[in-house]
Amino acid sequence: MRRDISEGGAETVRRIKTFVMDLPMKLKLSLLCFLLVVFSTFLLTSVVYIYTAGMIKSDTERYTDEVMLQSGNYLDEKMRGILQKTNYMQLNPDFIRIMKSILYKEKDSYVDETSRITDIISQIKSGEELVESVYVSAKNHTFYNFDSGIAKTTDFEGTGLYGEIVDKKRIYWGTAGENELLNSRVEVIPMVLPVTIYKEQFDDAFIILNLNADVLKRQLDEIGDNLGGIVYIRNEAGDLVITSGGGKEKAGEILAAEEAGRAKNYQISRSGLRVNGWEIGCIQSNRSLLARVNTLRNFMVGIAVFCVVLFAIVAGMLADSITRPLKKLQELMEQAVKMEFRQEFNVRYRDEVGHLALGFNEMCHRIRSLMRQVEEEEEQKRKAELQALNAQINPHFLYNTLDCIYWTSMKDGNQDIAEVALNISNVFRLGLNKGRETTTVEREVRHAVSYMRVQKVIYKGKFDFQVYCQQDLKDCEIIKLILQPLVENSILHGFKNMECGGEIFIEARGDGEFIQFKVSDNGCGIDESAAEASGREDGGLALENIRTRLKLHYQDQASLRLSQEGEGGTTVTVRIPYVR
């Protein structure tokens, strides 16, 4: 067993050694310099990084804890000051008198004194940026500072905020959200406390003091920007009241992960508020804490990369004079394998490599000559095949057309003869196409239409036709004589047992990449093998003939497909590349 393991290890070492020795000389030197520089730099960088990271992280954690403690004390004082102003308001004689008239249902009118209570409410907001609005609700009677907006509702008990209050004897601190009581666009944090007169609390009278969430958020943003983290406030229930920036969702995920013991990539510092049980905290990622260390690390890595590149350049220059000609020859031979013989191997010296270059250039020259000769022969062959295939069409069609003119003149007179002659002229003019092999979609469709008009005169009432051509395809280039043979198949084979009611529909559509022609009829239907057989018997242009021409011109990019439509009818689909 040990012997097998030993032999396997020796074989692995041998393979690694063979692999290294097979590497280019230039790469060997570069690899050696790279390994030496990288190893020494990695060792030095790791030691410095570990030591510096631990020191900076410890200092940052202490600083963040101190900032959170100071921020918590500041907010604590702010909240206490707001509560103190609210308590003073409840000790105001005017406020007590108006509340007594409402809560004790005294007969004295309180309507004339509402302006006084509005002034008292405004005093709470005066000089306090954090207070956005004050709203007093007592038995469906409401008072509020009018500079904060118009009241949305006078029924505080019907709001969602009222439903959140669990213990109506205690102060309730909500989370940031829309102001449900006033038409204010400012996001607020509600604080609800029961009205207390002479130490008596009332279940149906409340003071709703809305804190300006934007003001508090700006303060948190300033702290968060200074610390490079997300600063948050959450209540006793663990719900987030507000966060800096737009990180409420992310802060919730991180705090939940911390409770589950999965927040190892983050440092969380926190401090409590005694006045309402809130918690202010800062979430910092280890990446931000170690930003300065990472900068130092990146600088050292940059120096290491520079050294590696420098040593690689020096090593490459030493080996380049030997390996460059051979490398060039290797590249040219790889191109030759791919049948690319355009470049020549030029060297300034006539040593062994120079003689090898001369032989290689002579070989490439002979191959290029042979390839040009083969291409010229293939082009001549293709043109001859196309001419032969086109020649199959004209004699047959000319015979049928002359026969049509003769019988029409004998039967119907001069008007039909004129119509047939005109369409025959169009057919020959569009079909010959001035000797060019390609035509446009528009001319090809017109050629097929002219042919069908001639056949309609021959077979009066036997069939009718419809044509649709997508507008932007009319100028696209295609090979000629594609549609007319397909129409001829429909008339001769599809309607051979029909006296009337035949329909032919020609459709030309494109998608920017391919053009698709469809020739459909409602005839007796014919499969592809039958169509090919009939085409060979009567001398007409069979489907295989068209497929051959498509193959010669478009190679494998074009296709012809025959399909049966239900119990009767045939559709031939021709698909060719889009050329404009």
Side-chain angles (χ1 to χ4, degrees), residues 476-531:
C476 294
E477 291 282 337
I478 62 171
I479 61 172
K480 64 182 180 180
L481 297 176
I482 295 296
L483 297 178
Q484 182 270 333
L486 302 179
V487 171
E488 182 180 7
N489 267 344
S490 294
I491 297 172
L492 296 180
H493 305 298
F495 304 147
K496 63 182 180 180
N497 297 325
M498 298 173 62
E499 295 296 330
C500 62
E503 291 286 343
I504 296 176
F505 180 63
I506 298 177
E507 179 183 28
R509 295 184 181 274
D511 58 5
E513 186 176 357
F514 288 93
I515 301 174
Q516 181 170 281
F517 295 100
K518 282 189 176 182
V519 178
S520 305
D521 63 64
N522 63 342
C524 62
I526 183 171
D527 59 27
E528 190 168 357
S529 60

Coordinates of all heavy atoms in Angstrom, one line a residue, residues 476-531:
C476 N -35.1 44.6 -50.7 CA -34.1 43.5 -50.3 C -33.7 42.7 -51.5 O -34.6 42.3 -52.3 CB -34.7 42.7 -49.2 SG -35.0 43.6 -47.7
E477 N -32.5 42.3 -51.5 CA -31.9 41.5 -52.6 C -32.1 40.0 -52.4 O -31.8 39.5 -51.3 CB -30.4 41.8 -52.8 CG -30.1 43.1 -53.3 CD -30.3 43.3 -54.8 OE1 -30.2 42.2 -55.5 OE2 -30.5 44.4 -55.3
I478 N -32.7 39.3 -53.4 CA -32.8 37.8 -53.4 C -32.5 37.3 -54.7 O -32.4 38.0 -55.7 CB -34.3 37.4 -52.9 CG1 -35.3 37.9 -54.0 CG2 -34.6 37.9 -51.6 CD1 -36.7 37.4 -53.8
I479 N -32.3 35.9 -54.8 CA -32.1 35.3 -56.1 C -33.5 35.3 -56.8 O -34.5 35.2 -56.2 CB -31.5 33.9 -56.1 CG1 -32.4 33.0 -55.3 CG2 -30.1 34.0 -55.5 CD1 -31.9 31.6 -55.3
K480 N -33.5 35.4 -58.1 CA -34.7 35.4 -58.9 C -35.4 34.1 -59.1 O -34.7 33.0 -58.9 CB -34.5 36.1 -60.2 CG -33.6 35.4 -61.2 CD -33.3 36.1 -62.4 CE -32.4 35.4 -63.4 NZ -32.2 36.1 -64.6
L481 N -36.6 34.1 -59.6 CA -37.4 32.9 -59.9 C -37.5 31.9 -58.8 O -37.2 30.7 -58.9 CB -36.7 32.2 -61.1 CG -36.6 33.0 -62.4 CD1 -35.9 32.2 -63.5 CD2 -38.0 33.4 -62.9
I482 N -38.0 32.4 -57.7 CA -38.3 31.6 -56.5 C -39.9 31.4 -56.4 O -40.3 30.3 -56.2 CB -37.8 32.3 -55.2 CG1 -36.3 32.3 -55.2 CG2 -38.3 31.5 -54.0 CD1 -35.6 31.0 -55.2
L483 N -40.6 32.5 -56.5 CA -42.1 32.4 -56.3 C -42.8 31.8 -57.5 O -43.8 31.0 -57.3 CB -42.6 33.8 -55.9 CG -42.1 34.4 -54.7 CD1 -42.7 35.8 -54.5 CD2 -42.4 33.5 -53.5
Q484 N -42.4 32.1 -58.7 CA -43.2 31.7 -59.9 C -43.3 30.2 -60.0 O -44.3 29.6 -60.2 CB -42.6 32.3 -61.1 CG -43.3 31.9 -62.4 CD -42.7 30.7 -63.1 OE1 -41.6 30.4 -62.9 NE2 -43.6 29.9 -63.8
P485 N -42.2 29.4 -59.8 CA -42.3 28.0 -59.8 C -43.2 27.4 -58.8 O -43.9 26.4 -59.0 CB -40.9 27.5 -59.6 CG -40.0 28.6 -60.0 CD -40.7 29.8 -59.6
L486 N -43.2 28.0 -57.6 CA -44.1 27.5 -56.5 C -45.6 27.8 -56.9 O -46.5 26.9 -56.6 CB -43.8 28.2 -55.2 CG -42.3 28.0 -54.7 CD1 -42.1 28.8 -53.4 CD2 -42.0 26.6 -54.5
V487 N -45.9 28.9 -57.5 CA -47.2 29.2 -58.0 C -47.6 28.3 -59.0 O -48.8 27.8 -59.1 CB -47.3 30.7 -58.4 CG1 -48.6 31.0 -59.1 CG2 -47.1 31.7 -57.3
E488 N -46.7 28.0 -59.9 CA -47.0 27.0 -61.0 C -47.3 25.7 -60.5 O -48.3 25.0 -60.9 CB -45.8 26.9 -61.9 CG -46.0 26.0 -63.1 CD -44.7 25.9 -64.0 OE1 -43.7 26.5 -63.6 OE2 -44.8 25.3 -65.1
N489 N -46.6 25.2 -59.4 CA -47.0 23.9 -58.8 C -48.4 23.9 -58.2 O -49.1 22.9 -58.3 CB -46.0 23.6 -57.7 CG -44.8 22.8 -58.1 OD1 -44.9 22.2 -59.2 ND2 -43.8 22.8 -57.3
S490 N -48.8 25.1 -57.6 CA -50.2 25.2 -57.0 C -51.2 25.0 -58.1 O -52.2 24.4 -58.0 CB -50.3 26.5 -56.3 OG -49.5 26.5 -55.2
I491 N -51.0 25.7 -59.3 CA -52.0 25.7 -60.3 C -52.1 24.4 -61.0 O -53.2 23.8 -61.2 CB -51.7 26.9 -61.3 CG1 -51.7 28.2 -60.7 CG2 -52.6 26.8 -62.5 CD1 -51.2 29.4 -61.5
L492 N -50.9 23.8 -61.4 CA -50.9 22.6 -62.2 C -51.2 21.4 -61.3 O -51.9 20.5 -61.8 CB -49.5 22.4 -62.8 CG -49.1 23.5 -63.8 CD1 -47.7 23.2 -64.4 CD2 -50.1 23.6 -64.9
H493 N -50.8 21.3 -60.1 CA -51.0 20.1 -59.3 C -52.0 20.3 -58.2 O -52.8 19.4 -57.9 CB -49.6 19.7 -58.6 CG -48.5 19.6 -59.5 ND1 -48.5 18.6 -60.5 CD2 -47.3 20.3 -59.7 CE1 -47.4 18.7 -61.2 NE2 -46.6 19.7 -60.7
G494 N -52.1 21.5 -57.5 CA -53.1 21.7 -56.5 C -54.5 21.8 -57.0 O -55.4 21.3 -56.4
F495 N -54.7 22.4 -58.2 CA -56.1 22.7 -58.7 C -56.4 21.7 -59.9 O -57.4 22.0 -60.6 CB -56.2 24.1 -59.1 CG -55.9 25.1 -58.1 CD1 -55.3 26.3 -58.4 CD2 -56.1 24.9 -56.7 CE1 -55.0 27.3 -57.4 CE2 -55.8 25.8 -55.8 CZ -55.2 27.0 -56.1
K496 N -55.6 20.7 -60.0 CA -55.9 19.8 -61.2 C -57.2 19.2 -61.2 O -57.8 18.9 -62.3 CB -54.8 18.8 -61.4 CG -54.7 17.8 -60.2 CD -53.5 16.8 -60.4 CE -53.5 15.8 -59.3 NZ -52.3 14.9 -59.5
N497 N -57.8 18.9 -60.1 CA -59.1 18.3 -60.0 C -60.2 19.3 -59.6 O -61.3 18.9 -59.2 CB -59.1 17.2 -58.9 CG -58.1 16.1 -59.3 OD1 -58.0 15.7 -60.5 ND2 -57.5 15.5 -58.3
M498 N -59.9 20.6 -59.7 CA -60.9 21.6 -59.3 C -61.3 22.4 -60.6 O -60.5 22.7 -61.4 CB -60.3 22.6 -58.3 CG -59.9 21.9 -57.0 SD -59.0 23.0 -55.9 CE -60.3 24.2 -55.6
E499 N -62.6 22.7 -60.6 CA -63.1 23.5 -61.7 C -63.2 25.0 -61.3 O -63.1 25.9 -62.2 CB -64.5 23.0 -62.1 CG -64.5 21.6 -62.7 CD -63.7 21.6 -64.0 OE1 -63.7 22.6 -64.8 OE2 -63.2 20.5 -64.4
C500 N -63.3 25.3 -60.0 CA -63.4 26.6 -59.5 C -63.1 26.7 -58.0 O -63.0 25.6 -57.4 CB -64.8 27.2 -59.8 SG -66.2 26.3 -59.0
G501 N -63.0 27.9 -57.5 CA -62.9 28.0 -56.0 C -61.4 27.9 -55.5 O -61.2 27.9 -54.3
G502 N -60.4 27.9 -56.4 CA -59.1 27.8 -56.0 C -58.6 29.1 -55.4 O -59.0 30.2 -55.9
E503 N -57.7 29.1 -54.4 CA -57.2 30.3 -53.8 C -55.7 30.1 -53.6 O -55.2 29.1 -53.1 CB -57.8 30.5 -52.4 CG -59.3 30.9 -52.4 CD -59.4 32.4 -52.9 OE1 -58.4 33.1 -52.9 OE2 -60.6 32.8 -53.3
I504 N -54.9 31.1 -54.0 CA -53.5 31.2 -53.8 C -53.2 32.4 -53.0 O -53.6 33.5 -53.3 CB -52.7 31.2 -55.1 CG1 -53.0 29.9 -55.9 CG2 -51.2 31.3 -54.8 CD1 -52.3 29.9 -57.3
F505 N -52.4 32.2 -51.9 CA -52.0 33.3 -51.1 C -50.5 33.4 -51.0 O -49.8 32.4 -50.6 CB -52.6 33.2 -49.7 CG -52.2 34.3 -48.8 CD1 -52.6 35.6 -49.0 CD2 -51.4 34.1 -47.6 CE1 -52.3 36.7 -48.2 CE2 -51.1 35.1 -46.8 CZ -51.5 36.4 -47.1
I506 N -49.9 34.5 -51.4 CA -48.4 34.7 -51.3 C -48.1 35.7 -50.2 O -48.8 36.8 -50.2 CB -47.9 35.3 -52.7 CG1 -48.1 34.2 -53.8 CG2 -46.4 35.6 -52.5 CD1 -47.7 34.7 -55.1
E507 N -47.2 35.4 -49.3 CA -46.9 36.2 -48.2 C -45.4 36.4 -48.1 O -44.7 35.4 -48.2 CB -47.5 35.6 -46.9 CG -47.2 36.5 -45.7 CD -47.7 35.8 -44.4 OE1 -47.8 34.5 -44.4 OE2 -48.0 36.5 -43.4
A508 N -44.9 37.6 -47.9 CA -43.5 37.9 -47.7 C -43.3 38.7 -46.5 O -43.8 39.9 -46.4 CB -42.9 38.7 -48.9
R509 N -42.6 38.2 -45.5 CA -42.4 38.8 -44.2 C -40.9 38.7 -43.8 O -40.2 37.8 -44.3 CB -43.2 38.2 -43.1 CG -44.7 38.4 -43.2 CD -45.5 37.9 -42.1 NE -46.9 38.0 -42.2 CZ -47.6 39.1 -41.9 NH1 -47.0 40.1 -41.3 NH2 -48.9 39.2 -42.1
G510 N -40.5 39.6 -42.9 CA -39.1 39.6 -42.5 C -38.9 40.0 -41.1 O -39.8 40.7 -40.5
D511 N -37.9 39.6 -40.4 CA -37.6 40.0 -39.0 C -36.3 40.7 -38.8 O -35.8 40.8 -37.7 CB -37.7 38.7 -38.1 CG -36.6 37.7 -38.5 OD1 -35.8 37.9 -39.4 OD2 -36.7 36.6 -37.9
G512 N -35.7 41.2 -39.9 CA -34.4 41.9 -39.8 C -33.2 40.9 -40.0 O -32.1 41.4 -40.3
E513 N -33.5 39.6 -39.9 CA -32.4 38.6 -40.0 C -32.7 37.7 -41.2 O -31.8 37.3 -41.9 CB -32.2 37.9 -38.7 CG -31.0 36.9 -38.8 CD -30.8 36.3 -37.4 OE1 -31.5 36.6 -36.5 OE2 -29.9 35.4 -37.3
F514 N -33.9 37.3 -41.3 CA -34.3 36.4 -42.4 C -35.6 36.9 -43.1 O -36.4 37.7 -42.5 CB -34.6 35.0 -41.9 CG -33.4 34.2 -41.5 CD1 -32.9 34.3 -40.2 CD2 -32.6 33.5 -42.4 CE1 -31.8 33.6 -39.8 CE2 -31.5 32.8 -42.0 CZ -31.1 32.9 -40.7
I515 N -35.7 36.6 -44.4 CA -37.0 36.9 -45.1 C -37.7 35.5 -45.3 O -37.0 34.5 -45.7 CB -36.7 37.5 -46.5 CG1 -35.9 38.8 -46.3 CG2 -37.9 37.7 -47.3 CD1 -35.4 39.5 -47.6
Q516 N -39.0 35.5 -45.1 CA -39.8 34.3 -45.2 C -40.9 34.5 -46.2 O -41.7 35.4 -46.1 CB -40.3 33.9 -43.9 CG -41.1 32.6 -43.9 CD -41.5 32.1 -42.5 OE1 -40.7 31.5 -41.8 NE2 -42.7 32.3 -42.1
F517 N -40.9 33.6 -47.3 CA -41.9 33.6 -48.3 C -42.8 32.4 -48.0 O -42.3 31.3 -47.8 CB -41.3 33.5 -49.7 CG -40.5 34.7 -50.1 CD1 -39.2 34.7 -50.1 CD2 -41.2 35.8 -50.6 CE1 -38.4 35.7 -50.5 CE2 -40.4 36.9 -51.0 CZ -39.0 36.9 -50.9
K518 N -44.1 32.6 -48.1 CA -45.1 31.5 -48.0 C -46.0 31.5 -49.2 O -46.6 32.6 -49.6 CB -45.9 31.6 -46.7 CG -45.2 31.2 -45.5 CD -46.2 31.1 -44.3 CE -45.5 30.6 -43.1 NZ -46.4 30.5 -41.9
V519 N -46.1 30.4 -49.9 CA -47.1 30.2 -51.0 C -48.0 29.1 -50.6 O -47.7 28.0 -50.5 CB -46.3 29.9 -52.3 CG1 -47.3 29.7 -53.4 CG2 -45.3 31.0 -52.7
S520 N -49.3 29.5 -50.4 CA -50.3 28.6 -49.8 C -51.4 28.5 -50.8 O -51.8 29.4 -51.5 CB -50.9 29.0 -48.5 OG -49.8 29.2 -47.6
D521 N -52.0 27.2 -50.9 CA -53.2 27.1 -51.8 C -54.2 26.1 -51.1 O -53.8 25.5 -50.1 CB -52.8 26.5 -53.2 CG -52.2 25.1 -53.1 OD1 -52.9 24.2 -52.6 OD2 -51.0 24.9 -53.4
N522 N -55.4 26.1 -51.5 CA -56.4 25.3 -50.9 C -56.8 24.1 -51.8 O -57.9 23.6 -51.9 CB -57.7 26.1 -50.6 CG -58.3 26.7 -51.9 OD1 -57.7 26.8 -52.9 ND2 -59.6 27.1 -51.8
G523 N -55.8 23.7 -52.6 CA -56.0 22.6 -53.5 C -56.1 21.2 -52.9 O -56.3 21.1 -51.7
C524 N -55.8 20.2 -53.7 CA -56.0 18.9 -53.2 C -54.9 18.4 -52.3 O -55.0 17.4 -51.7 CB -56.1 17.9 -54.5 SG -54.6 17.9 -55.5
G525 N -53.8 19.2 -52.3 CA -52.7 18.8 -51.4 C -51.8 17.9 -52.1 O -52.2 17.0 -52.8
I526 N -50.5 18.0 -51.8 CA -49.5 17.2 -52.4 C -48.3 17.1 -51.5 O -47.8 18.1 -51.0 CB -49.1 17.7 -53.8 CG1 -48.1 16.7 -54.5 CG2 -48.5 19.1 -53.8 CD1 -47.9 17.1 -56.0
D527 N -47.7 15.9 -51.3 CA -46.5 15.8 -50.5 C -45.3 16.1 -51.4 O -45.4 16.2 -52.6 CB -46.4 14.4 -49.8 CG -46.4 13.3 -50.9 OD1 -45.9 13.5 -52.0 OD2 -46.8 12.2 -50.5
E528 N -44.2 16.3 -50.7 CA -43.0 16.7 -51.3 C -42.5 15.7 -52.4 O -42.0 16.1 -53.5 CB -41.9 17.0 -50.3 CG -40.7 17.7 -50.9 CD -39.7 18.2 -49.8 OE1 -40.1 18.1 -48.6 OE2 -38.7 18.8 -50.2
S529 N -42.5 14.5 -52.1 CA -42.0 13.4 -53.0 C -42.9 13.4 -54.3 O -42.4 13.3 -55.4 CB -42.0 12.1 -52.3 OG -43.3 11.7 -51.9
A530 N -44.2 13.6 -54.1 CA -45.1 13.6 -55.3 C -44.8 14.8 -56.2 O -44.8 14.8 -57.4 CB -46.5 13.6 -54.8
A531 N -44.6 16.0 -55.5 CA -44.3 17.2 -56.2 C -43.0 17.1 -57.0 O -42.9 17.5 -58.2 CB -44.2 18.4 -55.3

